[in-house]
Amino acid sequence: MMAAEAPSDEAGLAAQIAAARDAREPLLIAGNASKAPMLRPVQAARTLSTRNLAGITLHSPAELVLSARAGTTLPEIEEALAAHGQHLIAEPPDLHVLLGTESAATLGGTVAANLSGPRRIAGGAMRDHVLGMRAVNGEGTAIRSGGRVLKNVTGLDLCKLIAGSFGTLAVMTEITLKVLPAPERTGTVAIAGLDTAAGVAALAAALGSPYAVSAAAYLPDGAAEALPALAGLAIHPGVALARIEEFAPSVAYRTERLAAALGRFGAARVIEDAGSRPLWRTIRDALPLAAGLAESDAVWRISVPPSQGPRLAAAAAAAGGRWFLDWGGGLVWISAPADEARHRSITEAASAAGGVWTLLRAPASLRPGLSALPPLSPTLERLTRRVKAAFDPAGILNPGRMYAGI
Amino acid sequence: MIALPEPKAAVVARREAILADLARLVGPDGLVSEPHCLRAYETDGLAVYRQPPLAVVLPSTTEEVAALLRYCKAEGIRVVPRGAGTSLSGGALPLADAVVIGLMRMNRFLAIDYADRVASMQAGVTNLGITGAVSAQGFFYAPDPSSQLACMIGGNIAMNSGGAHCLKYGVTANNVLGLTIVTIEGEIIRLGGTHLDAAGYDWLGILTGSEGQLAIVTEVTVRILRSAEGSRAMLAAFRSNEVAGACVAAIIGSGIIPVALEFMDRPAIHACEAFAHAGYPLDAEAMLIIEVEGSPAEQEDLMSRLGEIVGRFDPLGLKIATTAEESAAIWKGRKGAFGAIGRISPDYLCMDGVIPTSQLSPVLHRIGEMSRTFGLGVANIFHAGDGNLHPLILFDANDPESMEKAEKFGAEILKLCVAVGGCLTGEHGVGVEKRELMGVQFSAADLEQQRRVKSVFDPDWLLNPSKVFPLGATPPVIHAA
Ligand SMILES: Cc1cc2nc3c(=O)[nH]c(=O)nc-3n(C[C@H](O)[C@H](O)[C@H](O)COP(=O)(O)OP(=O)(O)OC[C@H]3O[C@@H](n4cnc5c(N)ncnc54)[C@H](O)[C@@H]3O)c2cc1C
Ligand SMILES: Cc1cc2nc3c(=O)[nH]c(=O)nc-3n(C[C@H](O)[C@H](O)[C@H](O)COP(=O)(O)OP(=O)(O)OC[C@H]3O[C@@H](n4cnc5c(N)ncnc54)[C@H](O)[C@@H]3O)c2cc1C
């Protein structure tokens, strides 16, 4: 059992980090669900959790900003936003089912992993909406970057570096986000009976249309099977889905026009708001893969140029895996029995397609031996080490979490 | 006036030998060294500061940039990267002992892919050139600084530039997918690609907006977007800044995010109207330009929603364009704003602070008071939806007292922006202009962390020195394992 600390203010957290730095004792940084077996395992004697740094500190709906302490859970934030008809722009996923964990994700963990959902292609990534943050670096020094206004180019944007650094550079204590009004209505155009190439071509046409498609996914029949919104469609071999989010009259108009514009790919069905919302939650949370996932399975999350989606789908199928595509074909979710050969074939296909990959989940026995992220070129490795040293010279924050030895 | 660092005497003394070496690296026709030619590079969009450089080089390839940087690093020569030189914060201001590396010859497109909706180009392609290259297919590049005809994508990356349509489409950082950079060591690094969310630390994010402090950008890959079916503008005139500010909050609160939401105060309205004859309401204290997108029916729907909201704020006038020509007329004055101000004052300083939008009215009131105290006119034009103010301070650069007052006035406005919870700059960058104000916004620890990141990339602080960070402190040393 690891010793766990969960200070309730930034000063307490800074003191813990300073003490660990003095003792040269590595810390595992955790939000809530630190048991989840993700990325590379961290060798640390103690866990430092932001769990008790909780609560929304500012929500100014007319200014489109929200600030919360890093340990605030996403459901709490989403609820506060919804009360004012707003939402998180990046639509971050709730992966607890996929990852087999129980507690809700924290804001800090979500920003630290730069996790975005289907709306990523239209609205930007989680870190695009981080307006500012407070954080404690590996020397126990509290720093602030950015602010609480919507535009800010003052100085180097350290928020960008810290968001997506998986707690290896600094521990965030408070984060300010840009938020937006939630759409009045959503609707989805579905075209079933398409193979992967035709499906991705249909999504490209949808995203190249003037109707501001906010999400675009392709589900092969295995992944689409159990989804109520798609009941009655002859899905085989797969279905292309394009979402519109707007005021009600616009959703009606745009889904109709989009269905017509995509007519050359096949007959389209328009899925109304009540079916569209749960459908995209399922896609957001990667639930088509979660069902039937075995302890011995691995999950990869791969980002490629959208036109390369079919190539990754073929690689997944060749490895005996299950898969589906989001982001117009650019985000490839794959699950397959975990072993080194499959890991190699899938990640090599991702690199060959000009993309990047994350090993999101793998059995504990395999994790120490596998890279969780694409290996760094020698020049980037040198820069990565130097950036790490600029924030955490003693190397005590989540050592080895992203790359062995860093 | 802002101080520039003492030139390195040893570098200046070796000028002739350095010129010969540079000519070898970029060819004689890529070197500018005659004093009268150097004058074209002595300043940027902040023309009150001038300093001819040691030399200007105009490389044509990434490899030439690498060779130049390797050479400068080995010789301890300072380097100032330059795009079109439209920076409004003195970001591209040369130093007497520095070599300016101008990217304007690197102006080729590398690839445009409509299926993946990306375009790649060299750093010297202009912002408007990108949209120009893809508009026939119905696409555009979203960030649209007012300087878009001249400014270059490399400069946009360095400044993380924004524009009137950023409320909806985001700033430069939100639209970049890949970069080729050259480090001061002369290493060429490709970052990101044509996919979203590059792996590892967010190199694209830290480089965008780094003002030439970390590396030179030679190639860029951006997202291109399909244009909406159409767009239309509305002009609303109000009795006070306060009422107009409240109307902005009501619009955002209603769930409508217009593609543009621009605010002009009385002096700005008058200057622009005199210049552009756009039919602006001269009796108004403030006006908003609001633009929406969509099909004709959607525009109609949004305009009626907006018209209803504006109607609650006792408007002096409300003009909804019914044709593209009428929309263009509404924009005409706003787009010519800088020229218009140039006609009513010999010189102006364009401030760029950002405030929480709830502070609009008290801040404009306070700026009005300062204007009277300093005895200098000010016109306010800004992106209202995101609180990015552009107070234009009117002064006479030939009168040292007027110049000094203008700088003080500007600094007071920026301090006020920070005091109400905002920041020093929303899109123009710190440059030399706001360097010494950084301590107003950041603590010593905040700045030290930024300076360490600078040292990660540029240990000897040769890249664009004397910008962004207050002068004086010695570069931090990074010991990486
Ligand atoms: C590559 C990748 C790895 C993931 N790893 C995990 C994981 O280990 N556990 C998990 O439940 N889900 C993980 N997820 C999924 C996602 O992070 C979770 O759904 C959710 O965001 C986790 O929130 P949490 O509070 O439970 O974070 P945690 O699991 O506690 O942390 C997730 C990551 O963020 C870091 N972190 C957490 N809080 C802070 C903070 N305040 N400042 C700085 N860094 C912080 C942690 O060190 C860890 O690296 C991962 C996703 C991806 C794409
Ligand atoms: C009339 C006018 C209107 C403007 N309107 C706007 C506006 O609406 N929004 C806005 O954001 N800005 C605006 N600006 C400011 C300016 O146009 C932008 O900052 C622009 O991005 C600068 O581009 P540039 O090519 O002119 O760069 P330069 O002025 O040449 O350089 C700007 C900075 O970037 C660095 N740099 C340039 N190229 C590179 C490179 N390839 N690699 C590394 N560093 C580099 C320089 O060293 C310098 O620090 C305006 C300026 C003017 C004069």
Side-chain angles (χ1 to χ4, degrees), chain A residues 63 120-121 127-128 137 139 144 151 153 156 168 207-208 250 253-254 303 305 307 354 379 382 386 390, chain B residues 116 174 187 194-197 201-202 223 226 229 298 357-358 388 425 427 441 446 449-450 452 455-456:
Chain A
E63 294 179 319
R120 165 68 181 97
I121 49 172
R127 70 174 149 223
D128 283 316
N137 70 15
E139 297 190 302
R144 199 174 46 98
K151 276 171 84 180
V153 296
L156 296 181
T168 61
L207 289 164
S250 285
Y253 166 79
R254 292 184 185 206
S303 176
S307 58
T379 24
R382 208 166 46 81
R386 288 175 57 86
Chain B
D116 284 339
N174 312 124
E187 282 173 326
T194 56
H195 59 280
L196 296 172
D197 297 343
Y201 291 156
D202 186 11
R223 306 204 309 157
R226 176 67 197 257
E229 283 188 88
E298 289 176 308
T357 49
S358 61
N388 191 177
T425 170
E427 51 183 30
Q441 186 174 330
D446 302 340
Q449 188 64 67
Q450 292 185 31
R452 286 189 192 179
S455 283
V456 162

Short mmCIF file of all heavy atoms in Angstrom, two decimals, chain A residues 63 120-121 127-128 137 139 144 151 153 156 168 207-208 250 253-254 303 305 307 354 379 382 386 390, chain B residues 116 174 187 194-197 201-202 223 226 229 298 357-358 388 425 427 441 446 449-450 452 455-456:
data_model
loop_
_atom_site.label_atom_id
_atom_site.label_comp_id
_atom_site.label_asym_id
_atom_site.label_seq_id
_atom_site.Cartn_x
_atom_site.Cartn_y
_atom_site.Cartn_z
N GLU A 63 -19.59 35.88 -19.34
CA GLU A 63 -18.20 36.06 -19.77
C GLU A 63 -17.61 34.76 -20.33
O GLU A 63 -16.45 34.72 -20.72
CB GLU A 63 -17.34 36.56 -18.61
CG GLU A 63 -17.74 37.94 -18.15
CD GLU A 63 -16.93 38.45 -16.98
OE1 GLU A 63 -16.66 37.65 -16.05
OE2 GLU A 63 -16.54 39.61 -16.99
N ARG A 120 -14.13 17.72 -30.64
CA ARG A 120 -12.75 18.17 -30.87
C ARG A 120 -12.55 18.74 -32.27
O ARG A 120 -11.88 19.76 -32.45
CB ARG A 120 -11.80 16.96 -30.66
CG ARG A 120 -10.38 17.15 -31.19
CD ARG A 120 -9.66 18.19 -30.38
NE ARG A 120 -8.31 18.48 -30.79
CZ ARG A 120 -7.95 19.49 -31.57
NH1 ARG A 120 -8.87 20.29 -32.07
NH2 ARG A 120 -6.68 19.73 -31.82
N ILE A 121 -13.14 18.08 -33.28
CA ILE A 121 -12.87 18.52 -34.66
C ILE A 121 -13.49 19.88 -34.98
O ILE A 121 -13.02 20.56 -35.88
CB ILE A 121 -13.39 17.49 -35.70
CG1 ILE A 121 -14.83 17.08 -35.40
CG2 ILE A 121 -12.48 16.29 -35.75
CD1 ILE A 121 -15.44 16.23 -36.49
N ARG A 127 -7.16 21.37 -24.10
CA ARG A 127 -6.20 22.39 -23.71
C ARG A 127 -6.38 23.69 -24.48
O ARG A 127 -5.88 24.72 -24.05
CB ARG A 127 -4.77 21.87 -23.83
CG ARG A 127 -4.28 21.65 -25.22
CD ARG A 127 -2.79 21.29 -25.15
NE ARG A 127 -2.43 20.41 -26.23
CZ ARG A 127 -1.65 19.34 -26.12
NH1 ARG A 127 -1.17 18.98 -24.95
NH2 ARG A 127 -1.35 18.61 -27.14
N ASP A 128 -7.11 23.65 -25.60
CA ASP A 128 -7.40 24.90 -26.32
C ASP A 128 -8.24 25.83 -25.46
O ASP A 128 -8.27 27.03 -25.70
CB ASP A 128 -8.16 24.61 -27.62
CG ASP A 128 -7.24 24.08 -28.72
OD1 ASP A 128 -6.15 24.64 -28.88
OD2 ASP A 128 -7.62 23.11 -29.40
N ASN A 137 5.24 23.60 -9.35
CA ASN A 137 6.27 22.86 -10.09
C ASN A 137 7.02 21.89 -9.17
O ASN A 137 6.72 21.77 -7.98
CB ASN A 137 7.21 23.83 -10.84
CG ASN A 137 8.10 24.62 -9.90
OD1 ASN A 137 8.24 24.29 -8.72
ND2 ASN A 137 8.71 25.68 -10.43
N GLU A 139 9.70 21.97 -7.74
CA GLU A 139 10.46 22.52 -6.62
C GLU A 139 9.55 22.99 -5.51
O GLU A 139 10.01 23.57 -4.53
CB GLU A 139 11.31 23.70 -7.12
CG GLU A 139 12.31 23.24 -8.15
CD GLU A 139 13.32 24.33 -8.48
OE1 GLU A 139 12.88 25.40 -8.92
OE2 GLU A 139 14.51 24.07 -8.30
N ARG A 144 1.70 30.74 -11.83
CA ARG A 144 0.43 31.04 -12.47
C ARG A 144 0.73 31.32 -13.93
O ARG A 144 1.73 31.96 -14.25
CB ARG A 144 -0.15 32.29 -11.81
CG ARG A 144 -1.62 32.51 -11.99
CD ARG A 144 -2.04 33.73 -11.15
NE ARG A 144 -1.09 34.82 -11.35
CZ ARG A 144 -1.30 35.82 -12.19
NH1 ARG A 144 -2.41 35.91 -12.88
NH2 ARG A 144 -0.38 36.78 -12.35
N LYS A 151 -8.87 36.14 -24.31
CA LYS A 151 -7.70 36.25 -25.18
C LYS A 151 -6.52 36.70 -24.35
O LYS A 151 -6.66 37.57 -23.51
CB LYS A 151 -7.95 37.23 -26.32
CG LYS A 151 -8.69 36.57 -27.48
CD LYS A 151 -9.11 37.57 -28.49
CE LYS A 151 -8.00 37.90 -29.47
NZ LYS A 151 -8.48 38.89 -30.46
N VAL A 153 -2.09 36.76 -24.86
CA VAL A 153 -0.81 36.29 -25.43
C VAL A 153 0.36 36.86 -24.64
O VAL A 153 1.44 37.06 -25.17
CB VAL A 153 -0.68 36.65 -26.93
CG1 VAL A 153 -1.74 35.96 -27.75
CG2 VAL A 153 -0.72 38.15 -27.16
N LEU A 156 5.16 33.56 -22.34
CA LEU A 156 5.10 32.19 -22.87
C LEU A 156 3.91 31.47 -22.25
O LEU A 156 3.65 31.60 -21.06
CB LEU A 156 6.40 31.45 -22.53
CG LEU A 156 7.66 32.01 -23.18
CD1 LEU A 156 8.87 31.16 -22.79
CD2 LEU A 156 7.53 32.05 -24.70
N THR A 168 3.72 15.47 -15.20
CA THR A 168 5.18 15.29 -15.13
C THR A 168 5.91 16.63 -14.99
O THR A 168 7.11 16.64 -14.72
CB THR A 168 5.73 14.58 -16.38
OG1 THR A 168 5.43 15.38 -17.53
CG2 THR A 168 5.11 13.19 -16.54
N LEU A 207 -17.89 17.11 -43.50
CA LEU A 207 -17.06 18.13 -42.85
C LEU A 207 -16.64 19.22 -43.84
O LEU A 207 -16.30 20.32 -43.45
CB LEU A 207 -15.82 17.48 -42.21
CG LEU A 207 -16.16 16.65 -40.97
CD1 LEU A 207 -15.00 15.72 -40.61
CD2 LEU A 207 -16.48 17.56 -39.80
N GLY A 208 -16.66 18.89 -45.12
CA GLY A 208 -16.37 19.89 -46.14
C GLY A 208 -17.61 20.63 -46.61
O GLY A 208 -17.54 21.42 -47.55
N SER A 250 -32.33 25.63 -37.26
CA SER A 250 -31.11 25.33 -38.02
C SER A 250 -30.83 23.84 -38.06
O SER A 250 -30.33 23.33 -39.06
CB SER A 250 -29.91 26.06 -37.42
OG SER A 250 -29.96 27.41 -37.75
N TYR A 253 -33.09 22.37 -40.66
CA TYR A 253 -32.66 22.76 -42.00
C TYR A 253 -31.35 22.06 -42.39
O TYR A 253 -31.23 21.47 -43.46
CB TYR A 253 -32.49 24.29 -42.03
CG TYR A 253 -31.73 24.80 -43.22
CD1 TYR A 253 -32.37 24.91 -44.46
CD2 TYR A 253 -30.39 25.16 -43.12
CE1 TYR A 253 -31.67 25.38 -45.57
CE2 TYR A 253 -29.69 25.63 -44.22
CZ TYR A 253 -30.33 25.73 -45.44
OH TYR A 253 -29.64 26.18 -46.53
N ARG A 254 -30.38 22.08 -41.49
CA ARG A 254 -29.05 21.58 -41.86
C ARG A 254 -29.01 20.06 -42.00
O ARG A 254 -28.31 19.54 -42.87
CB ARG A 254 -28.00 22.06 -40.85
CG ARG A 254 -27.80 23.55 -40.93
CD ARG A 254 -26.69 24.05 -40.02
NE ARG A 254 -26.65 25.52 -40.07
CZ ARG A 254 -25.57 26.26 -39.84
NH1 ARG A 254 -24.44 25.68 -39.51
NH2 ARG A 254 -25.64 27.57 -39.93
N SER A 303 -4.43 8.96 -33.25
CA SER A 303 -4.83 10.13 -34.03
C SER A 303 -4.03 10.17 -35.34
O SER A 303 -2.81 10.17 -35.32
CB SER A 303 -4.56 11.41 -33.22
OG SER A 303 -4.86 12.55 -34.00
N PRO A 305 -4.21 11.51 -39.82
CA PRO A 305 -4.99 12.32 -40.77
C PRO A 305 -6.27 11.55 -41.09
O PRO A 305 -6.21 10.33 -41.29
CB PRO A 305 -4.07 12.41 -41.99
CG PRO A 305 -2.69 12.13 -41.47
CD PRO A 305 -2.87 11.18 -40.31
N SER A 307 -8.13 10.86 -43.56
CA SER A 307 -8.17 9.96 -44.72
C SER A 307 -7.43 8.66 -44.45
O SER A 307 -7.58 7.69 -45.20
CB SER A 307 -7.59 10.66 -45.95
OG SER A 307 -6.26 11.07 -45.67
N GLY A 354 1.28 8.51 -40.55
CA GLY A 354 1.56 9.90 -40.22
C GLY A 354 0.84 10.35 -38.96
O GLY A 354 0.51 11.52 -38.81
N THR A 379 16.38 14.56 -31.06
CA THR A 379 16.28 16.01 -30.78
C THR A 379 15.13 16.29 -29.83
O THR A 379 15.26 17.08 -28.89
CB THR A 379 16.03 16.83 -32.07
OG1 THR A 379 15.42 16.00 -33.04
CG2 THR A 379 17.26 17.46 -32.59
N ARG A 382 15.86 15.28 -26.30
CA ARG A 382 16.71 16.24 -25.60
C ARG A 382 15.87 17.43 -25.12
O ARG A 382 15.97 17.86 -23.96
CB ARG A 382 17.82 16.71 -26.55
CG ARG A 382 19.09 17.13 -25.85
CD ARG A 382 20.24 17.25 -26.84
NE ARG A 382 19.86 17.98 -28.04
CZ ARG A 382 19.80 19.31 -28.13
NH1 ARG A 382 20.11 20.06 -27.10
NH2 ARG A 382 19.42 19.89 -29.25
N ARG A 386 15.00 18.54 -21.22
CA ARG A 386 15.33 19.90 -20.75
C ARG A 386 14.09 20.61 -20.22
O ARG A 386 14.17 21.34 -19.22
CB ARG A 386 16.00 20.70 -21.88
CG ARG A 386 17.43 20.22 -22.17
CD ARG A 386 18.05 20.93 -23.37
NE ARG A 386 18.07 22.37 -23.21
CZ ARG A 386 19.02 23.06 -22.59
NH1 ARG A 386 20.06 22.42 -22.07
NH2 ARG A 386 18.95 24.36 -22.48
N ALA A 390 13.45 21.97 -16.50
CA ALA A 390 13.12 23.37 -16.24
C ALA A 390 11.96 23.50 -15.25
O ALA A 390 11.82 24.52 -14.58
CB ALA A 390 12.76 24.09 -17.55
N ASP B 116 -8.65 16.08 -46.06
CA ASP B 116 -8.22 16.17 -44.66
C ASP B 116 -8.33 17.60 -44.12
O ASP B 116 -8.02 17.85 -42.96
CB ASP B 116 -6.79 15.66 -44.51
CG ASP B 116 -6.73 14.12 -44.56
OD1 ASP B 116 -7.77 13.49 -44.30
OD2 ASP B 116 -5.65 13.58 -44.86
N ASN B 174 -5.34 27.72 -32.09
CA ASN B 174 -6.40 26.73 -32.22
C ASN B 174 -6.51 26.18 -33.64
O ASN B 174 -7.34 25.32 -33.91
CB ASN B 174 -7.75 27.33 -31.80
CG ASN B 174 -7.66 28.06 -30.48
OD1 ASN B 174 -8.01 29.22 -30.39
ND2 ASN B 174 -7.17 27.39 -29.46
N GLU B 187 19.24 22.93 -35.58
CA GLU B 187 18.55 21.66 -35.77
C GLU B 187 17.16 21.91 -36.36
O GLU B 187 16.44 22.80 -35.90
CB GLU B 187 18.39 20.93 -34.44
CG GLU B 187 19.66 20.25 -34.01
CD GLU B 187 19.56 19.68 -32.62
OE1 GLU B 187 18.87 20.28 -31.77
OE2 GLU B 187 20.16 18.64 -32.38
N THR B 194 -0.42 16.37 -39.92
CA THR B 194 -1.75 16.73 -40.43
C THR B 194 -2.84 16.05 -39.61
O THR B 194 -3.98 15.99 -40.01
CB THR B 194 -1.90 16.37 -41.93
OG1 THR B 194 -1.61 14.98 -42.08
CG2 THR B 194 -0.92 17.15 -42.78
N HIS B 195 -2.47 15.50 -38.44
CA HIS B 195 -3.45 14.93 -37.52
C HIS B 195 -3.65 15.89 -36.35
O HIS B 195 -2.88 16.82 -36.16
CB HIS B 195 -2.94 13.58 -37.00
CG HIS B 195 -1.62 13.71 -36.30
ND1 HIS B 195 -0.43 13.79 -36.98
CD2 HIS B 195 -1.31 13.82 -34.99
CE1 HIS B 195 0.56 13.95 -36.11
NE2 HIS B 195 0.05 13.96 -34.90
N LEU B 196 -4.67 15.63 -35.53
CA LEU B 196 -4.94 16.48 -34.37
C LEU B 196 -4.15 15.97 -33.16
O LEU B 196 -3.84 14.79 -33.06
CB LEU B 196 -6.43 16.44 -34.03
CG LEU B 196 -7.38 17.02 -35.08
CD1 LEU B 196 -8.83 16.73 -34.69
CD2 LEU B 196 -7.15 18.52 -35.21
N ASP B 197 -3.85 16.89 -32.25
CA ASP B 197 -3.30 16.54 -30.94
C ASP B 197 -2.02 15.72 -31.01
O ASP B 197 -1.98 14.53 -30.68
CB ASP B 197 -4.37 15.81 -30.10
CG ASP B 197 -5.55 16.71 -29.83
OD1 ASP B 197 -5.41 17.93 -30.01
OD2 ASP B 197 -6.62 16.20 -29.47
N TYR B 201 4.83 16.48 -25.05
CA TYR B 201 4.58 17.85 -24.59
C TYR B 201 4.05 18.66 -25.76
O TYR B 201 4.36 18.39 -26.92
CB TYR B 201 5.86 18.46 -24.02
CG TYR B 201 6.31 17.83 -22.71
CD1 TYR B 201 7.64 17.89 -22.32
CD2 TYR B 201 5.42 17.19 -21.88
CE1 TYR B 201 8.07 17.33 -21.12
CE2 TYR B 201 5.82 16.62 -20.69
CZ TYR B 201 7.16 16.69 -20.30
OH TYR B 201 7.56 16.12 -19.13
N ASP B 202 3.30 19.71 -25.45
CA ASP B 202 2.63 20.48 -26.50
C ASP B 202 3.58 21.51 -27.11
O ASP B 202 3.51 22.70 -26.80
CB ASP B 202 1.39 21.16 -25.90
CG ASP B 202 0.55 21.85 -26.97
OD1 ASP B 202 0.81 21.61 -28.17
OD2 ASP B 202 -0.34 22.62 -26.60
N ARG B 223 -5.26 24.15 -40.21
CA ARG B 223 -6.57 23.63 -40.60
C ARG B 223 -7.24 24.65 -41.49
O ARG B 223 -7.17 25.86 -41.24
CB ARG B 223 -7.47 23.47 -39.36
CG ARG B 223 -6.87 22.64 -38.28
CD ARG B 223 -7.92 22.05 -37.40
NE ARG B 223 -8.88 23.02 -36.90
CZ ARG B 223 -10.09 22.67 -36.51
NH1 ARG B 223 -10.48 21.42 -36.58
NH2 ARG B 223 -10.92 23.57 -36.04
N ARG B 226 -14.48 24.93 -44.17
CA ARG B 226 -15.44 25.25 -45.20
C ARG B 226 -16.22 26.49 -44.76
O ARG B 226 -16.70 26.57 -43.62
CB ARG B 226 -16.40 24.06 -45.39
CG ARG B 226 -17.50 24.32 -46.38
CD ARG B 226 -16.98 24.47 -47.80
NE ARG B 226 -17.99 25.09 -48.65
CZ ARG B 226 -18.73 24.42 -49.52
NH1 ARG B 226 -18.56 23.13 -49.68
NH2 ARG B 226 -19.63 25.06 -50.25
N GLU B 229 -22.66 29.18 -45.43
CA GLU B 229 -23.42 29.50 -46.65
C GLU B 229 -23.40 31.00 -46.95
O GLU B 229 -23.40 31.40 -48.11
CB GLU B 229 -24.87 29.01 -46.50
CG GLU B 229 -24.99 27.52 -46.70
CD GLU B 229 -26.45 27.10 -46.74
OE1 GLU B 229 -27.05 27.11 -47.82
OE2 GLU B 229 -26.98 26.76 -45.67
N GLU B 298 -31.61 31.17 -41.93
CA GLU B 298 -30.95 31.13 -40.62
C GLU B 298 -30.49 32.52 -40.20
O GLU B 298 -30.60 32.91 -39.03
CB GLU B 298 -29.75 30.18 -40.67
CG GLU B 298 -30.15 28.72 -40.77
CD GLU B 298 -28.94 27.81 -40.91
OE1 GLU B 298 -28.11 28.05 -41.80
OE2 GLU B 298 -28.83 26.87 -40.12
N THR B 357 -15.35 40.82 -19.61
CA THR B 357 -16.31 41.69 -20.31
C THR B 357 -17.25 42.42 -19.34
O THR B 357 -17.77 43.47 -19.67
CB THR B 357 -17.12 40.90 -21.35
OG1 THR B 357 -17.63 39.72 -20.74
CG2 THR B 357 -16.26 40.52 -22.53
N SER B 358 -17.42 41.90 -18.13
CA SER B 358 -18.27 42.59 -17.16
C SER B 358 -17.66 43.93 -16.75
O SER B 358 -18.36 44.77 -16.18
CB SER B 358 -18.46 41.71 -15.92
OG SER B 358 -17.20 41.46 -15.32
N ASN B 388 -11.27 42.08 -25.67
CA ASN B 388 -9.95 42.53 -26.15
C ASN B 388 -10.06 44.00 -26.61
O ASN B 388 -10.58 44.29 -27.67
CB ASN B 388 -9.51 41.63 -27.31
CG ASN B 388 -8.07 41.82 -27.73
OD1 ASN B 388 -7.58 41.13 -28.59
ND2 ASN B 388 -7.37 42.75 -27.12
N THR B 425 -1.89 41.89 -22.97
CA THR B 425 -2.02 41.82 -24.43
C THR B 425 -2.83 40.61 -24.87
O THR B 425 -2.62 39.51 -24.38
CB THR B 425 -0.63 41.86 -25.13
OG1 THR B 425 -0.79 41.55 -26.52
CG2 THR B 425 0.35 40.89 -24.51
N GLU B 427 -3.53 40.05 -28.38
CA GLU B 427 -3.12 39.53 -29.68
C GLU B 427 -1.86 40.19 -30.24
O GLU B 427 -1.26 39.63 -31.14
CB GLU B 427 -4.28 39.62 -30.70
CG GLU B 427 -4.94 40.98 -30.80
CD GLU B 427 -6.12 41.01 -31.77
OE1 GLU B 427 -6.79 39.98 -31.95
OE2 GLU B 427 -6.36 42.08 -32.37
N GLN B 441 1.77 41.83 -14.28
CA GLN B 441 0.87 40.68 -14.45
C GLN B 441 1.40 39.41 -13.79
O GLN B 441 0.64 38.56 -13.35
CB GLN B 441 0.61 40.44 -15.94
CG GLN B 441 -0.44 39.37 -16.19
CD GLN B 441 -0.78 39.24 -17.66
OE1 GLN B 441 -0.71 40.20 -18.43
NE2 GLN B 441 -1.14 38.05 -18.07
N ASP B 446 6.49 33.24 -11.47
CA ASP B 446 5.85 32.98 -12.78
C ASP B 446 6.84 33.28 -13.89
O ASP B 446 7.01 32.51 -14.84
CB ASP B 446 4.64 33.89 -13.00
CG ASP B 446 3.56 33.76 -11.93
OD1 ASP B 446 3.55 32.74 -11.24
OD2 ASP B 446 2.75 34.69 -11.80
N GLN B 449 9.78 30.87 -14.24
CA GLN B 449 9.44 29.62 -14.93
C GLN B 449 9.40 29.84 -16.45
O GLN B 449 9.85 29.00 -17.22
CB GLN B 449 8.09 29.10 -14.43
CG GLN B 449 7.74 27.72 -14.94
CD GLN B 449 8.71 26.65 -14.45
OE1 GLN B 449 8.78 26.33 -13.28
NE2 GLN B 449 9.50 26.10 -15.36
N GLN B 450 8.89 30.98 -16.88
CA GLN B 450 8.88 31.27 -18.32
C GLN B 450 10.31 31.43 -18.84
O GLN B 450 10.64 30.97 -19.93
CB GLN B 450 8.10 32.56 -18.60
CG GLN B 450 6.62 32.45 -18.35
CD GLN B 450 5.88 33.72 -18.77
OE1 GLN B 450 6.27 34.40 -19.69
NE2 GLN B 450 4.80 34.04 -18.07
N ARG B 452 12.94 30.08 -17.71
CA ARG B 452 13.60 28.77 -17.81
C ARG B 452 13.22 28.06 -19.11
O ARG B 452 14.04 27.37 -19.70
CB ARG B 452 13.19 27.89 -16.63
CG ARG B 452 13.84 28.29 -15.33
CD ARG B 452 13.51 27.19 -14.34
NE ARG B 452 13.82 27.55 -12.99
CZ ARG B 452 13.59 26.73 -11.95
NH1 ARG B 452 13.00 25.57 -12.17
NH2 ARG B 452 13.89 27.10 -10.75
N SER B 455 15.25 29.40 -21.79
CA SER B 455 16.61 28.84 -21.74
C SER B 455 16.68 27.42 -22.27
O SER B 455 17.72 26.99 -22.76
CB SER B 455 17.15 28.87 -20.31
OG SER B 455 17.55 30.18 -19.95
N VAL B 456 15.58 26.67 -22.15
CA VAL B 456 15.55 25.31 -22.68
C VAL B 456 15.87 25.34 -24.17
O VAL B 456 16.65 24.53 -24.68
CB VAL B 456 14.16 24.68 -22.47
CG1 VAL B 456 13.95 23.47 -23.38
CG2 VAL B 456 13.97 24.29 -21.02
#
